[in-house]
Amino acid sequence: WVNEQVRATCGIRENAAAAWEAGGGGKFDRNESKGLRKSHGAEAAKMFAKGQLRKNPNAYFYRHVRPGDVQKDGEWEEDEIQRFVEVAKQYGCGDKWGLFASHLSGRVGYQCSAAYRHVIIPRGLLRDDGFRIKASGETVYVGDPGRREAAEKRGELKKSKEAGTSDAGAVITASAPAPEV
């Protein structure tokens, strides 16, 4: 959930269900924010997210830093990368990048997601079987390993002509994996 200090300072409820209900409840429509972005650009999606601080903090922190913080741009400093790994080991990571970002000062969720793919995984700082690294060094999402294995067993995924790749285009590398988190 949200960083406890941030939660208390911003008046965010103690859990997702309480925050959602306190914010008026209803059904979340992911297409609403996607539709705004398509019809009015990324700035409209950012404005939508700004109104979600107390109802859907994940949406808010995906595009906005903690209130009062200044968003950092550019390369991540080594101390930020260390903090990222610490937070990931303590809370996990991979799907609620906005909530994850609430634990890091000056970074938003989409920056955390990008750092995960372009810094954390390639350096082997965390292991995620949902990603593979191509020979070019590019990190590629190949999906949930459990679901992927089941699909392979059912014959739904076919091996491509290039050895070591699947239809997702991911190359299985022989590099040593990072320690399990």
Side-chain angles (χ1 to χ4, degrees):
W1 187 232
V2 180
N3 171 287
E4 184 57 31
Q5 182 181 0
V6 173
R7 189 191 73 72
T9 302
C10 296
I12 299 170
R13 298 294 175 120
E14 62 280 357
N15 60 53
W20 189 258
E21 288 306 313
K27 185 175 180 186
F28 178 72
D29 183 2
R30 181 180 314 266
N31 292 324
E32 182 178 352
S33 65
K34 284 184 179 178
L36 281 171
R37 190 172 59 242
K38 284 182 181 176
S39 63
H40 301 291
E43 201 56 39
K46 187 170 183 172
M47 291 305 296
F48 171 80
K50 192 166 190 113
Q52 298 295 306
L53 176 61
R54 289 182 184 84
K55 181 176 183 176
N56 185 352
N58 185 54
Y60 177 88
F61 289 114
Y62 189 78
R63 297 183 184 278
H64 300 278
V65 293
R66 305 171 184 181
D69 273 6
V70 175
Q71 184 174 342
K72 298 175 185 176
D73 291 320
E75 299 294 319
W76 288 57
E77 300 292 328
E78 285 304 314
D79 62 325
E80 290 181 288
I81 293 168
Q82 285 179 331
R83 176 70 181 142
F84 185 110
V85 172
E86 290 169 10
V87 170
K89 287 180 178 180
Q90 183 173 1
Y91 299 105
C93 66
D95 64 341
K96 302 277 191 263
W97 288 112
L99 298 180
F100 186 88
S102 77
H103 294 269
L104 303 173
S105 182
R107 296 293 184 172
V108 297
Y110 67 81
Q111 290 175 306
C112 294
S113 174
Y116 188 64
R117 289 186 321 275
H118 301 293
V119 178
I120 304 299
I121 292 174
R123 284 196 192 176
L125 300 174
L126 295 172
R127 179 181 172 159
D128 187 331
D129 291 335
F131 287 88
R132 297 290 181 259
I133 300 175
K134 286 183 163 185
S136 66
E138 178 187 4
T139 304
V140 179
Y141 179 68
V142 295
D144 177 280
R147 289 178 43 199
R148 183 173 182 76
E149 287 173 18
E152 285 174 347
K153 285 180 184 176
R154 292 190 305 268
E156 294 172 5
L157 296 178
K158 298 178 183 134
K159 293 286 180 186
S160 74
K161 293 176 186 175
E162 183 184 341
T165 66
S166 68
D167 59 349
V171 174
I172 314 286
T173 63
S175 62
E180 288 286 338
V181 177

